[in-house]
């Protein structure tokens, strides 16, 4: 024997505790053998007691009681397969050595047979127990009536406070076996026509692991017409005696009632029995229709509860989303929403965007808001390290793997185990390393340089690139299979010119940051300088804006940041022309245009030679040509009107 209890629903789900020769307590206290922080569980709830090879469960005067197979107990001798309900959880007691704990009863649908007629159908509007004012007048005053009413009260009390759908299904099933003399039962929640979204089932004769075969014929009729159905004598019914599972299992009676929410059939309770002495009858159908009415409300409450919990979690995630990025425009709100949605998952993320848009900040935000937040975040720039060193940097190396490898070294991937690895500029990865990275993503293992033993790895990978990987795939410089592995979920960071509404906010932030870094006095942005910043296209994006603000704060000589304190490129492209400075700025711009075009003419159109003649870097010259809108004139070799 291998006595043990297994949690199958609720907060205890998945927990397994062996029952040896000592008592096992089930409580809310963390010091007990089997505990969970469930407010429905008492501090000292119940105890499993071994004695002479048998096992007893004893309720310790708990507030909500202990149920075995749906029945409240004070002390009960357990048998293999008994269900124990405590709080909002359901456990199963197992004895057999070869019983696989996870293989609980599954639901199997069998056959489809047309039902022309049935011995007894019951519509909800005809259910007496759902009309309390008619119950006492319509039913004889018998002990059975009292027992049925007591069972309904017990079920309503027992399931009303459950907030977990699977726990509700299990506990409802346990209660039902106390109401109807069934051998097998199932609680089904529907999804599509012939499928169910959730199902729990139990075979009281064979115990856990034995599939419960459910008649598709019966369930389809229930779902289509929304009526309860009972067949008291299956062998004597011309239609049902030919149904496959009924004949094979020698089923003598079957009962099925719908779960109705706002007139729609959302599920069904299915039961059958082979007993020749205890057949289901009309009263069982009446009681089970009432049970279904109570349960339908409970399932609807659980569904609403789950929706509220999900909405609450989403709202909390939005409020508590941690990131160091600024922006209130629609483009950045989309980025924040992306982070909120992907952070809790372990999906590989690809972050695309121009240099300086904040791709690494997105990666860090995803890590910070994930379950790996307490584990390492390791970043590596694939473009900043040579190919020969990058392999060792990524995967580590064994002692003696190459000249200078005097000891074993763990790579960045191993350092990120349990956390997040961020590969910046992944498009620069050499082909040989692309193949190794693909293996890591597929197998979650790698080998150190010079090693022969695979190293298991648990990481989340976030990759970033400022080039189009799809174009690189077309050009043959990036592996297609790796691209699809990286491009599981992707986000493109917007360029700063595409979210100009965020520039003032970013500028104010960088003024404060630069003043702390450079120990300089904070200065406000003048209206003219702010306009320059907004009008400039920022090819270097946020990084260029931060540098421009730091330069203006350090070099400015007045009490505020003026246009003249900004870099020339920003001033030239963005300075607003007013009556006071239009002539001055216009003269400067015209002079610059004349000098540039003359230099290009003398250099026969060579940008490099023209830049040398002007004493500037070629990139700076190209930027000026773009900002001064001289591309067409430079190509034609002509001067703009009013120059020359």
């Amino acid at each position: 024997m291998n006595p043990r209890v297994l949690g199958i629903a609720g907060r205890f789900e998945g927990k397994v505790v062996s029952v040896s020769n000592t008592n096992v307590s089930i409580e809310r206290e963390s010091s007990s053998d089997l505990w969970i922080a469930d407010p429905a569980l008492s501090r000292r709830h119940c105890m499993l007691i071994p004695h002479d090879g048998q096992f007893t469960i004893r309720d310790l005067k708990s507030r909500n009681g202990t149920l075995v197979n749906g029945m409240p107990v004070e002390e009960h001798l357990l048998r293999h397969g008994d269900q124990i309900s405590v709080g909002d959880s359901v456990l199963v007691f197992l004895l057999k050595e070869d019983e696989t704990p996870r293989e609980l009863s599954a639901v199997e649908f069998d056959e489809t047979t047309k039902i022309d007629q049935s011995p007894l159908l019951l519509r909800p509007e005809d259910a007496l127990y759902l009309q309390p004012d008619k119950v006492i007048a319509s039913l004889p005053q018998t002990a059975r009536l009292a027992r049925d009413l007591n069972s309904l009260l017990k079920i309503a009390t027992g399931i009303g406070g459950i907030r977990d759908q699977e726990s509700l299904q299990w506990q409802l099933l346990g209660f039902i076996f106390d109401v109807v003399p069934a051998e097998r039962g199932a609680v089904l929640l529907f999804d599509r026509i012939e499928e169910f979204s959730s199902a729990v089932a139990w075979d009281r004769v064979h115990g856990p692991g034995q599939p419960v075969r459910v008649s598709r014929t019966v369930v389809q009729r229930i779902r289509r017409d929304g009526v309860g159905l009972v067949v008291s004598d299956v062998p004597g019914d011309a239609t049902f005696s030919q149904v496959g599972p009924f004949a094979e299992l020698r089923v003598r009676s079957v009962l099925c009632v719908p779960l109705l929410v706002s007139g729609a059939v959302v599920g069904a309770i299915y039961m059958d029995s082979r007993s020749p002495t205890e057949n289901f009858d009309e009263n069982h159908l009446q009681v089970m229709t009432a049970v279904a009415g109570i349960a339908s409300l409970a399932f609807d409450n659980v569904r609403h509860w789950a929706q509220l919990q999900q909405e609450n979690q989403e709202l909390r995630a939005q409020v508590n989303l941690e990131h160091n990025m600024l922006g209130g425009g629609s483009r950045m709100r989309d980025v924040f929403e992306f982070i909120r949605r992907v952070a809790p998952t372990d999906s590989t993320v690809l972050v695309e965007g121009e240099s300086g848009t904040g791709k690494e900040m997105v990666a860090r935000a995803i890590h910070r808001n994930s379950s790996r937040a307490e584990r390492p975040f390791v970043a590596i720039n694939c473009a900043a390290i040579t190919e020969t060193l990058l392999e060792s940097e990524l995967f580590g190396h064994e002692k003696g793997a190459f000249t200078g490898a005097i000891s074993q070294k763990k790579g960045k991937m191993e350092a990120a185990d349990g956390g997040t690895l961020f590969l910046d500029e992944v498009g620069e990865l050499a082909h040989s390393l692309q193949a190794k990275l693909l293996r890591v993503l597929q197998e979650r293992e790698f080998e150190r340089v010079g090693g022969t033993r695979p190293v298991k790895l648990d990481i989340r990978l976030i990759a970033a690139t400022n080039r189009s990987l799809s174009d690189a795939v077309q050009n043959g410089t990036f592996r297609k299979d790796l691209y699809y592995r990286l491009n599981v979920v992707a986000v493109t960071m917007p360029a700063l010119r595409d979210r100009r509404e965020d520039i003032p906010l970013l500028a104010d932030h960088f003024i404060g940051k630069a003043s702390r870094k450079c120990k300089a006095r904070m200065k406000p942005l003048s209206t003219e300088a702010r306009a320059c910043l907004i009008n400039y296209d920022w090819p270097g994006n946020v990084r260029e804006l931060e540098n421009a603000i730091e330069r203006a704060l350090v070099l400015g000589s007045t009490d505020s940041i003026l246009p003249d304190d900004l870099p020339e490129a920003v001033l030239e492209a963005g300075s607003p022309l007013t009556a006071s400075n239009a002539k001055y700025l216009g003269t400067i711009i015209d002079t610059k245009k004349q000098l540039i075009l003359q230099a290009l003419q003398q250099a026969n159109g060579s940008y490099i030679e023209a830049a040398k003649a002007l004493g500037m870097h070629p990139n700076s010259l190209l930027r000026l040509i773009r900002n001064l809108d001289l591309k067409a004139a430079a190509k034609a070799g002509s001067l703009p009107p009013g120059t020359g």
Side-chain angles (χ1 to χ4, degrees):
M1 289 197 308
N2 179 22
R4 61 209 185 279
V5 287
L6 163 70
I8 59 174
R11 306 189 192 198
F12 276 126
E13 183 175 1
K15 291 182 178 289
V16 183
V17 173
S18 296
V19 182
S20 56
N21 296 322
T22 58
N23 297 344
V24 172
S25 58
I26 301 177
E27 303 173 354
R28 199 175 68 225
E29 292 291 324
S30 59
S31 58
S32 64
D33 304 288
L34 193 57
W35 72 278
I36 200 74
D38 179 1
L41 209 63
S42 296
R43 189 177 61 83
R44 299 183 69 252
H45 201 97
C46 64
M47 183 175 292
L48 278 74
I49 305 168
H51 180 68
D52 292 337
Q54 294 185 315
F55 299 86
T56 301
I57 187 167
R58 178 184 298 164
D59 184 71
L60 302 177
K61 297 182 179 180
S62 62
R63 183 176 69 255
N64 294 319
T66 301
L67 282 70
V68 176
N69 299 327
M71 291 287 293
V73 298
E74 292 184 2
E75 190 162 322
H76 183 83
L77 182 64
L78 293 172
R79 296 177 301 172
H80 175 71
D82 279 348
Q83 290 181 44
I84 304 168
S85 299
V86 291
D88 70 351
S89 298
V90 180
L91 306 100
V92 59
F93 176 72
L94 300 171
L95 277 173
K96 296 178 183 177
E97 184 73 37
D98 59 349
E99 189 74 64
T100 303
R102 294 284 184 185
E103 293 181 356
L104 301 176
S105 298
V107 170
E108 293 182 353
F109 272 129
D110 277 305
E111 104 303 318
T112 302
T113 304
K114 183 178 179 182
I115 302 178
D116 295 322
Q117 58 183 3
S118 177
L120 185 59
L121 296 174
L122 181 65
R123 299 186 181 280
E125 58 267 26
D126 299 325
L128 294 174
Y129 286 99
L130 293 178
Q131 304 175 65
D133 55 326
K134 296 182 180 180
V135 172
I136 302 301
S138 304
L139 297 179
Q141 303 302 302
T142 63
R144 182 170 180 175
L145 171 63
R147 187 193 66 192
D148 290 344
L149 292 173
N150 184 61
S151 296
L152 292 176
L153 177 62
K154 183 172 65 177
I155 292 173
T157 304
I159 68 176
I162 298 176
R163 292 292 179 264
D164 178 79
Q165 177 178 288
E166 192 173 1
S167 293
L168 177 57
Q169 288 175 278
W170 278 113
Q171 300 228 31
L172 177 61
L173 196 57
F175 281 123
I176 288 170
F177 283 127
D178 184 40
V179 176
V180 177
E183 293 180 347
R184 282 169 300 278
V187 178
L188 313 171
L189 297 179
F190 294 142
D191 185 6
R192 296 188 294 273
I193 293 297
E194 296 185 359
E195 297 181 10
F196 46 84
S197 60
S198 177
V200 300
W202 196 259
D203 187 322
R204 298 180 76 183
V205 177
H206 297 93
Q210 181 68 28
V212 173
R213 297 173 65 183
V214 171
S215 168
R216 183 180 281 112
T217 297
V218 172
V219 172
Q220 282 184 341
R221 176 64 185 273
I222 299 305
R223 183 167 193 186
R224 187 189 70 211
D225 297 337
V227 298
L229 177 151
V230 65
V231 182
S232 300
D233 182 17
V234 171
D237 186 282
T239 300
F240 286 93
S241 60
Q242 304 304 314
V243 173
F246 294 159
E248 294 170 23
L249 298 174
R250 300 192 301 278
V251 171
R252 297 193 64 86
S253 55
V254 62
L255 186 152
C256 190
V257 292
L259 296 169
L260 295 163
V261 174
S262 301
V265 181
V266 298
I269 301 173
Y270 179 95
M271 320 206 77
D272 65 34
S273 174
R274 294 182 298 181
S275 172
T277 58
E278 293 186 294
N279 294 338
F280 304 153
D281 56 23
E282 181 180 1
N283 194 73
H284 289 131
L285 181 58
Q286 286 280 0
V287 174
M288 284 307 303
T289 302
V291 169
I294 296 170
S296 298
L297 180 60
F299 279 115
D300 197 36
N301 287 339
V302 167
R303 182 177 62 84
H304 284 299
W305 176 266
Q307 287 179 344
L308 288 173
Q309 277 193 315
Q310 178 66 26
E311 290 172 4
N312 187 42
Q313 288 174 359
E314 290 177 359
L315 289 172
R316 286 181 179 273
Q318 290 176 7
V319 172
N320 298 326
L321 185 66
E322 292 185 41
H323 59 81
N324 294 325
M325 293 173 286
L326 294 174
S330 60
R331 298 293 298 274
M332 287 307 294
R333 287 201 302 270
D334 290 343
V335 172
F336 299 151
E337 174 65 12
F338 175 85
I339 295 171
R340 184 190 66 78
R341 295 178 66 178
V342 304
T345 72
D346 263 346
S347 296
T348 300
V349 179
L350 179 62
V351 187
E352 298 178 303
E354 298 178 6
S355 293
T357 51
K359 297 187 291 295
E360 183 171 344
M361 296 182 75
V362 170
R364 290 185 180 275
I366 291 172
H367 173 74
R368 195 178 303 125
N369 292 278
S370 73
S371 59
R372 299 173 180 265
E374 301 302 319
R375 304 295 296 165
F377 176 90
V378 179
I380 185 167
N381 190 327
C382 300
I385 305 175
T386 62
E387 179 183 345
T388 53
L389 291 178
L390 184 58
E391 183 174 9
S392 174
E393 191 76 12
L394 272 176
F395 303 107
H397 60 253
E398 298 289 353
K399 181 179 179 180
F402 49 82
T403 303
I406 59 175
S407 62
Q408 184 195 75
K409 176 191 174 184
K410 291 184 178 181
K412 296 282 190 180
M413 281 197 173
E414 210 166 343
D417 190 36
T420 302
L421 178 68
F422 174 60
L423 293 181
D424 198 7
E425 306 303 346
V426 70
E428 306 300 326
L429 209 59
H431 251 276
S432 59
L433 293 181
Q434 290 178 26
K436 289 195 172 186
L437 179 59
L438 179 63
R439 185 186 175 214
V440 171
L441 292 174
Q442 290 175 331
E443 308 296 335
R444 296 294 167 177
E445 64 179 27
F446 69 98
E447 291 179 4
R448 300 188 188 99
V449 177
T452 56
R453 181 177 60 86
V455 179
K456 292 292 183 182
L457 194 64
D458 171 28
I459 61 167
R460 179 182 195 167
L461 182 66
I462 302 177
T465 178
N466 65 358
R467 51 186 289 206
S468 172
L469 288 189
S470 58
D471 289 347
V473 169
Q474 295 295 323
N475 298 334
T477 58
F478 201 83
R479 293 179 63 116
K480 182 186 293 186
D481 45 7
L482 177 58
Y483 171 66
Y484 289 128
R485 281 283 179 177
L486 292 176
N487 193 28
V488 178
V489 288
V491 62
T492 300
M493 290 300 294
L496 188 54
R497 61 183 171 275
D498 295 328
R499 57 183 188 107
R500 297 180 189 272
E501 67 274 17
D502 293 332
I503 290 177
L505 179 66
L506 288 165
D508 291 339
H509 169 73
F510 290 139
I511 289 171
K513 182 178 178 181
S515 69
R516 292 189 295 271
K517 173 185 173 183
C518 304
K519 297 181 180 179
R521 184 170 56 85
M522 287 184 63
K523 300 177 183 179
L525 271 173
S526 68
T527 304
E528 295 79 6
R530 192 179 298 270
C532 287
L533 297 180
I534 293 174
N535 292 331
Y536 182 55
D537 274 350
W538 300 107
N541 292 293
V542 179
R543 189 179 296 126
E544 184 184 3
L545 172 63
E546 181 176 6
N547 293 339
I549 292 296
E550 183 175 334
R551 174 187 184 277
L553 190 70
V554 172
L555 298 181
S557 57
T558 61
D559 291 336
S560 62
I561 296 177
L562 303 174
D564 287 345
D565 299 327
L566 299 173
E568 275 193 17
V570 179
L571 179 62
E572 289 159 357
S575 180
L577 293 178
T578 63
S580 59
N581 66 5
K583 185 176 180 180
Y584 167 71
L585 291 175
T587 302
I588 292 177
I589 292 173
D590 287 344
T591 302
K592 286 184 178 181
K593 288 180 178 181
Q594 181 180 0
L595 289 173
I596 291 171
L597 289 173
Q598 285 177 346
L600 284 170
Q601 287 174 342
Q602 293 170 2
N604 295 319
S606 171
Y607 291 96
I608 296 176
E609 294 301 320
K612 286 182 180 178
L614 293 170
M616 61 195 310
H617 194 279
N619 288 344
S620 299
L621 176 59
L622 288 172
R623 186 179 62 190
L624 275 173
I625 290 173
R626 182 177 64 248
N627 291 337
L628 294 173
D629 197 21
L630 286 177
K631 281 187 177 181
K635 287 181 181 179
S638 61
L639 296 179
T643 64

